[in-house]
Amino acid sequence: NATLTTLNLKFNKLGRSTWRQLAFAIAARSQPIKVENRFQAWDDLLNEARLTLAYGAVPVMRFPLFVCGYSGVGKTTLSYSLEGKPVPTNLPAHTHGVETRNIIIDGREFSLWDYAGQIEYYVTHEFFLLPASQAVFVVCVRGDQSADEATQQLEYWFRFIKCRIPRTREASERPQVQICVSHMDLVPKDQAMRVHNALTLEGHVLASSFEKFMNVDREPTFVTATRSRPDQDDGLRLLHEKLNSAHAIVCAQSPQTPAICATVRDSLQRVKVVNKACPVAKVSECFAEYPELPSEVHRDILRYLHSIGE
């Protein structure tokens, strides 16, 4: 309706895909429309629509992989093992804040976010754990601790993630979540089955409890040694396969990305490699191919890249 100036909608009656279609319809209009009772990620969807209509779109092939868990569960080691790479010997004893890098698993690319497990960093994690429905989460616990302690840690991280994910009625729009139980080689043989059964039961409970927010794999993956390669450990190989499947699901469901954002994203990756100490100081170099681009478009592009975990 060309004369329409206000829409009053309720999110519980619309899925994200419908909101996205609405955003593109409104972005294509010459007259603005005020949207009330809007989806919490509405501004990001409208921003994406405007950039796509102005600069075209390309397929999305890289998605965030968020690795969460308490300190010492082997998150960083696991991320290198999944790539089949040796763990660098110069890594700090503990991750500080959030470490990010791109990884490739069987030709599928992820933007890895490795969250520090020390409790003093938790207060800042909420600023970096993006509300990305199109993402894959791996929540890690150790198998050689008590089942009660592992269960408490899993429940903590699931509640933490839930707070950053918009609720949706459409299962296809919820993030994929995997549970990884590490250090099973340190569990006494006479206790291994008990640990396996207890945490498998917890996986089923969590999947049911959080099914309106995320798609949880009900069967946790049990990893024997996090410093192995997928071809050396059955658990790592299984997790490898699950992540590839999750990537394919997200890829099939995700929209395209604005072409100009994809170009700036790739430039940003190069800047991060050259300026490891403070890449944000060189972010202006990412727009070298677009010297006439208005500053407000710079802002919109960076805002979009932030919203998708880049």
Side-chain angles (χ1 to χ4, degrees), residues 50-66:
R50 288 169 175 162
L51 290 170
T52 299
L53 292 173
Y55 300 99
V58 295
V60 181
M61 299 305 296
R62 182 168 71 226
F63 304 97
L65 173 60
F66 299 121

Side-chain angles (χ1 to χ4, degrees), residues 7-306:
L7 280 177
N8 193 319
L9 302 168
K10 292 186 180 296
F11 172 55
N12 61 6
K13 295 183 179 180
L14 296 175
R16 183 186 178 93
S17 59
T18 306
W19 276 104
R20 187 171 182 274
Q21 293 173 7
L22 179 62
F24 272 78
I26 291 178
R29 287 170 50 98
S30 58
Q31 298 296 324
I33 294 180
K34 180 181 178 181
V35 179
E36 298 178 350
N37 290 324
R38 59 194 185 188
F39 177 40
Q40 68 184 78
W42 169 255
D43 290 338
D44 290 333
L45 291 176
L46 190 58
N47 183 45
E48 174 196 347
R50 288 169 175 162
L51 290 170
T52 299
L53 292 173
Y55 300 99
V58 295
V60 181
M61 299 305 296
R62 182 168 71 226
F63 304 97
L65 173 60
F66 299 121
V67 183
C68 310
Y70 277 32
S71 177
V73 298
K75 301 184 298 296
T76 302
T77 302
L78 177 67
S79 68
Y80 282 100
S81 297
L82 286 171
E83 288 188 280
K85 293 182 178 180
V87 180
T89 57
N90 60 345
L91 287 178
H94 300 286
T95 300
H96 300 291
V98 181
E99 293 292 336
T100 63
R101 72 178 193 279
N102 292 336
I103 67 172
I104 297 177
I105 301 176
D106 283 350
R108 302 183 187 275
E109 191 173 5
F110 293 91
S111 175
L112 175 76
W113 292 59
D114 180 3
Y115 289 86
Q118 291 80 15
I119 195 169
E120 57 266 28
Y121 289 111
Y122 290 3
V123 69
T124 61
H125 280 354
E126 65 176 294
F127 299 115
F128 300 102
L129 191 61
L130 305 176
S133 58
Q134 296 156 347
V136 181
F137 290 82
V138 176
V139 182
C140 302
V141 293
R142 293 181 66 119
D144 60 336
Q145 61 187 342
S146 72
D148 288 343
E149 187 175 2
T151 295
Q152 291 174 4
Q153 292 180 10
L154 286 172
E155 290 176 350
Y156 170 84
W157 281 105
F158 271 72
R159 289 194 300 269
F160 191 92
I161 294 170
K162 171 188 171 183
C163 292
R164 299 292 294 157
I165 296 175
R167 183 173 178 175
T168 174
R169 297 177 64 184
E170 299 183 29
S172 63
E173 297 175 355
R174 299 167 191 157
Q176 309 295 313
V177 182
Q178 297 290 333
I179 298 173
C180 178
V181 183
S182 65
H183 297 84
M184 287 300 292
D185 51 320
L186 301 181
V187 178
K189 291 184 178 180
D190 61 337
Q191 299 179 24
M193 185 56 68
R194 180 178 60 81
V195 171
H196 185 282
N197 291 341
L199 293 181
T200 297
L201 176 61
E202 180 63 15
H204 283 257
V205 171
L206 290 171
S208 298
S209 300
F210 292 88
E211 64 182 355
K212 294 183 179 180
F213 296 90
M214 55 192 92
N215 295 320
V216 183
D217 188 336
R218 294 175 178 270
E219 301 293 331
T221 304
F222 295 85
V223 178
T224 300
T226 53
R227 287 183 179 270
S228 301
R229 298 195 310 267
D231 60 349
Q232 299 173 332
D233 183 271
D234 289 341
L236 274 176
R237 182 165 55 251
L238 179 58
L239 183 58
H240 216 258
E241 295 170 356
K242 289 182 175 182
L243 291 178
N244 281 332
S245 296
H247 187 286
I249 291 172
V250 176
C251 187
Q253 296 168 350
S254 296
Q256 294 181 318
T257 190
I260 192 170
C261 296
T263 301
V264 173
R265 176 200 63 196
D266 294 339
S267 297
L268 182 60
Q269 296 303 320
R270 292 191 292 270
V271 168
K272 288 168 64 177
V273 172
V274 177
N275 303 277
K276 294 182 179 180
C278 189
V280 70
K282 301 291 184 178
V283 72
S284 60
E285 297 179 6
C286 300
F287 297 95
E289 296 184 33
Y290 305 97
E292 305 300 324
L293 208 61
S295 59
E296 57 268 23
V297 179
H298 285 207
R299 178 202 61 207
D300 291 343
I301 292 172
L302 293 176
R303 174 179 171 180
Y304 170 78
L305 292 176
H306 174 71

